[in-house]
Amino acid sequence: SSAVLEAIENVIQGVLESLAQKKAPVLTLANRTDWRNIEFKDSVGLQMIPRCTTKQIRSDCPHSAKRFALMLKILSMIYKMVQSNTYATKRDIYYSDTLLFGSQSVVDQIINDISCMLKIPRRSLHVLSTTKGFVAGNLSYTEEDGTKVNCTCSATVFTVPSNVQGIKNLTSHAKFMLIVEKDATFQRLLDDDFFSKVSPCIMITGRGIPDLNTRLLVRKLWDSFQIPIFTLMDADPHGVEIMCIYKYGSVSMSFEAHHLTVPSIKWLGLLPSDLKRLNIRKDALIPFTKQDQNKLASIQKRPYIAYQPLWKKELEIMAASKLKAEIQVLTSLSSDYLSRVYLPNKLQFGGWL
């Protein structure tokens, strides 16, 4: 915490020194969304290069003056929380002055900018993000406040903890971990009692694009148990994108890649090649939109695809067919095909990439 306080004090000192010299204060931070600032490293994923291009938030420019003021406001709130060892969610910060901030997304972006500027992980700033992910299966742990969570003894879904860093006493006999893209598929696998039928496993869903806590938990479980991690996604560009976020990280959070990515994650399904192999009817597939085509083209150009020749082939199959499929398409074969046939066969015979 003293490092966080010192980092904030240095920023404020810079502002005061500029004012003393009658200069307009400026906040300088790395340009988080520029691919030129990103390098791909097989063992980490997407990470920010040490000397990257920066952008300035100026106090004397009408375009950025408000953002400058909001960054100082949130810096002061973080400073007080770290001093008093209290925590707030991003939502709490927004609701402390909705008129001033204008929208939740403004607060979210500023907190990420501050984390990047100070080079301090977001959870060390005492800002918690609200969690949307779920976890179930063969896992028990103790939360920071002492609450014991046991996912093993029931088909109950547990929300991913909002302070992943604080959980301890993790125990599991799971043989593997399954990351499921969507809530509906996750619930279906729970209803079919999948995680105890095949072999003990841990199931996680970020319910679409994963939030920070879900990604932190996946990483923490990998660090704790070193068991294989598989992903179950829709056979579409959006599903591939989500899988890449878990495995290699995202451009906007590349400055935190070391805490968030798990490059050993495997693509279990739904593979574009599975659709032909299982004779899925054409009329059960969905034609690409222009947006799908653009998203797939952008994924194919990413640096990590060159390191994954088998993925590359699957993306080429998808691009050639211009068709996508949701995991639910397997119900056209039989209502429980996913949990009774598809997943057990894949896991037994090594049908992953």
Side-chain angles (χ1 to χ4, degrees), residues 128-141:
L128 304 171
S129 49
T130 31
T131 300
K132 64 185 178 89
F134 291 146
V135 60
N138 196 295
L139 174 70
S140 60
Y141 55 86

Side-chain angles (χ1 to χ4, degrees), residues 256-306:
E256 267 211 65
H258 289 268
H259 311 287
L260 293 171
T261 59
V262 185
S264 61
I265 283 173
K266 306 288 181 210
W267 186 5
L268 187 70
L270 190 61
L271 303 177
S273 59
D274 288 339
L275 303 175
K276 192 174 179 187
R277 184 174 62 80
L278 298 171
N279 290 320
I280 302 288
R281 297 192 325 270
K282 270 269 170 72
D283 61 359
L285 305 176
I286 308 159
F288 263 24
T289 62
K290 187 80 186 120
Q291 203 178 0
D292 290 326
Q293 275 175 282
N294 294 342
K295 166 92 63 197
L296 182 56
S298 107
I299 292 170
Q300 286 176 304
K301 289 193 196 100
R302 289 185 194 166
Y304 44 71
I305 297 299

Side-chain angles (χ1 to χ4, degrees), residues 1 77-78 80-90 92-93 122-129 144 162-166:
S1 62
M77 294 172 85
I78 290 169
K80 279 177 195 156
M81 288 192 297
V82 174
Q83 266 188 327
S84 59
N85 197 25
T86 54
Y87 288 81
T89 64
K90 292 187 296 182
D92 295 334
I93 290 174
R122 196 169 76 190
R123 57 208 166 280
S124 301
L125 302 176
H126 286 229
V127 178
L128 304 171
S129 49
E144 196 182 30
S162 58
N163 191 352
V164 174
Q165 200 185 17

Side-chain angles (χ1 to χ4, degrees), residues 42-44 177 179 215 217-220 222-223 227 229 243 245-249 257 259-266:
D42 210 14
S43 59
V44 181
M177 201 153 94
I179 299 171
R215 290 175 63 192
L217 183 62
V218 168
R219 176 59 195 247
K220 185 153 191 134
W222 163 248
D223 287 339
I227 51 177
I229 304 179
M243 172 173 58
I245 290 172
Y246 283 108
K247 186 175 171 76
Y248 293 128
H259 311 287
L260 293 171
T261 59
V262 185
S264 61
I265 283 173
K266 306 288 181 210

